Amino acid sequence: MSNRAWQFLQADATALPFADSTFDLTLTSPPYMDARTYGINAQRGCAAWVEWMLKVVAECQRVTRGPVIIIAAGVTRDRNYWPGCEGLMWEWWKRGGDCHLYRPCYWHRVGIPGSGGKDWFRADVEYAMCFKRPGKLPWSDNTACGHPPKWGPGGEMSHRIANGARVNQWGHGGDGPSCIARLADGSRDRRPRPSHAAMTKGEWAGKCGNGSRRTIGEHKAGGYDLPILANPGNLIHTKAGGGHTGHPLAHENEAPYPELLCERFILSLCPPGGRVLDPFSGSGTTVATAARLGRRGIGCDLRMNQCELGTRRLLTPNAKAKKKPAAVTEMKLVEDVGLFSFAAGGGEVRRGI
Ligand SMILES: C[S@@+](CC[C@H](N)C(=O)[O-])C[C@H]1O[C@@H](n2cnc3c(N)ncnc32)[C@H](O)[C@@H]1O
């Protein structure tokens, strides 16, 4: 029995050697349309890419009970944008039945913007498409990467009434005729609305105590539950490119993405101790991040040298890493996945083809 929380396996993403619903989350980045060949003819035209990716997504969804997150972008050729990602989501949605989507997220690749050419705008973002089964996600913590709310609790929203006057607009109506916020003595109420008062982290911690929710009853009987963390939204900014991927070995893959991007999805969509799959694992960024965050990661790549690269990466601590791996012990991967046998104490790479 191994205590390793990760594994690499040579496999084709359209025929994964796993049982149905083996993973909690799939997070991956396939070869983009008409981009790199990876030495295995992996570039495809727009329509061919969509057809192929429909097979990949269906296979990933089969082995994953939670969401399947695909990082990708379209390309522009001869001043003509190829809407492969949009086409993929549209075709998936049209299938209906078990083929559902969540609104995509957008990855802002700070530091490596694309070129828009001489007459168009630069490309700063890529899609993080979310393919899923119907209904609620089996596990999610959508504020896991959230920040303390910036504004204090505001109670009633400001709004207009039938005669056009504004209510609950303390201090923001100025002296204009629409402002009816007056104190008992008839003077204007110039206090800022509580929701318009920025809070410092310390003030917020004071309100939320030791992290438990606290109800305040300022505005209504029954009170108001203070949110502890704000929803971080669907635009993810991370530095990308040289020095920002999370490990020097990442650059032995042609197109690595950063560990910070993986963090958002793994912390938010895979429970602690759960299983994450990357069917296009390359240098092993997803698997390395999963292992660091106390999840179990499995990476597959068609190229054996990439499976070996992932293994080397996981066995080589990043001397410059600011974030140290969480202690991962007694992960019963062999038993759980029922596929691999490990050399005692070591992660293993398996030739599958
Ligand atoms: C964009 S790279 C992934 C990079 C990875 N996210 C990282 O951070 O290093 C895509 C990878 O997909 C692999 N690949 C291409 N076709 C494949 C297939 N049909 N099945 C599995 N892997 C494939 C390539 O070998 C390449 O390493």
Side-chain angles (χ1 to χ4, degrees):
M1 186 66 64
S2 164
N3 64 2
R4 288 284 168 184
W6 53 270
Q7 179 90 36
F8 290 94
L9 170 76
Q10 188 187 24
D12 186 329
T14 58
L16 295 166
F18 305 110
D20 294 359
S21 304
T22 298
F23 297 95
D24 296 287
L25 166 70
T26 288
L27 170 62
T28 195
S29 178
Y32 292 8
M33 282 155 265
D34 195 35
R36 295 178 172 79
T37 70
Y38 295 97
I40 48 174
N41 289 327
Q43 81 281 30
R44 290 172 173 83
C46 187
W49 188 84
V50 171
E51 282 310 305
W52 175 67
M53 281 302 296
L54 282 168
K55 282 188 213 137
V56 170
V57 173
E59 182 64 347
C60 292
Q61 196 190 45
R62 180 186 68 76
V63 301
T64 313
R65 54 179 157 256
V68 173
I69 309 288
I70 309 267
I71 311 290
V75 296
T76 301
R77 295 286 176 263
D78 299 326
R79 288 188 155 70
N80 187 15
Y81 175 65
W82 292 9
C85 295
E86 295 81 355
L88 173 59
M89 288 188 276
W90 175 234
E91 291 298 329
W92 183 259
W93 182 84
K94 276 200 296 178
R95 288 183 171 193
D98 274 354
C99 303
H100 283 208
L101 296 165
Y102 256 146
R103 181 186 294 277
C105 298
Y106 303 91
W107 170 34
H108 181 196
R109 302 160 308 164
V110 182
I112 49 165
S115 154
K118 288 194 175 154
D119 57 355
W120 192 242
F121 304 106
R122 198 180 64 195
D124 288 343
V125 298
E126 297 193 356
Y127 278 114
M129 297 174 274
C130 177
F131 303 89
K132 60 186 278 287
R133 298 177 182 183
K136 206 171 167 225
L137 296 176
W139 189 90
S140 104
D141 180 0
N142 60 359
T143 60
C145 297
H147 48 82
K150 190 170 173 193
W151 306 107
E156 297 286 337
M157 297 293 285
S158 100
H159 61 279
R160 285 186 194 273
I161 52 177
N163 68 5
R166 199 176 267 292
V167 292
N168 291 319
Q169 182 74 358
W170 305 337
H172 285 265
D175 290 321
S178 69
C179 177
I180 61 164
R182 288 188 185 271
L183 298 172
D185 65 5
S187 63
R188 299 278 181 199
D189 185 348
R190 297 199 180 281
R191 288 172 303 165
R193 290 182 64 215
S195 60
H196 289 179
M199 297 180 77
T200 63
K201 270 190 182 165
E203 283 168 342
W204 192 252
K207 282 214 182 286
C208 290
N210 58 3
S212 59
R213 274 172 192 263
R214 185 177 295 176
T215 299
I216 56 170
E218 276 180 57
H219 300 285
K220 280 184 184 164
Y224 168 71
D225 256 355
L226 288 180
I228 294 168
L229 293 172
N231 188 309
N234 68 348
L235 178 59
I236 302 150
H237 303 270
T238 73
K239 287 189 181 164
H244 299 297
T245 51
H247 201 288
L249 286 175
H251 300 287
E252 290 189 26
N253 180 274
E254 296 84 342
Y257 57 23
E259 287 191 13
L260 267 178
L261 175 64
C262 298
E263 275 190 19
R264 164 71 74 91
F265 296 106
I266 293 172
L267 286 171
S268 309
L269 301 172
C270 179
R275 300 189 202 111
V276 182
L277 169 70
D278 184 346
F280 297 100
S281 57
S283 68
T285 310
T286 310
V287 175
T289 313
R292 172 161 61 74
L293 298 175
R295 275 73 170 172
R296 293 168 287 178
I298 293 227
C300 298
D301 202 290
L302 202 51
R303 292 182 295 168
M304 191 60 190
N305 66 1
Q306 294 299 297
C307 299
E308 286 160 359
L309 169 61
T311 304
R312 260 193 296 136
R313 174 177 181 163
L314 270 283
L315 292 175
T316 314
N318 181 1
K320 291 190 183 157
K322 292 192 186 110
K323 300 182 178 180
K324 299 293 174 211
V328 179
T329 51
E330 293 307 314
M331 297 278 194
K332 296 188 177 69
L333 196 62
V334 176
E335 222 171 57
D336 287 346
V337 180
L339 186 78
F340 309 116
S341 62
F342 288 88
E348 192 191 39
V349 55
R350 253 311 150 92
R351 187 175 294 279
I353 292 169

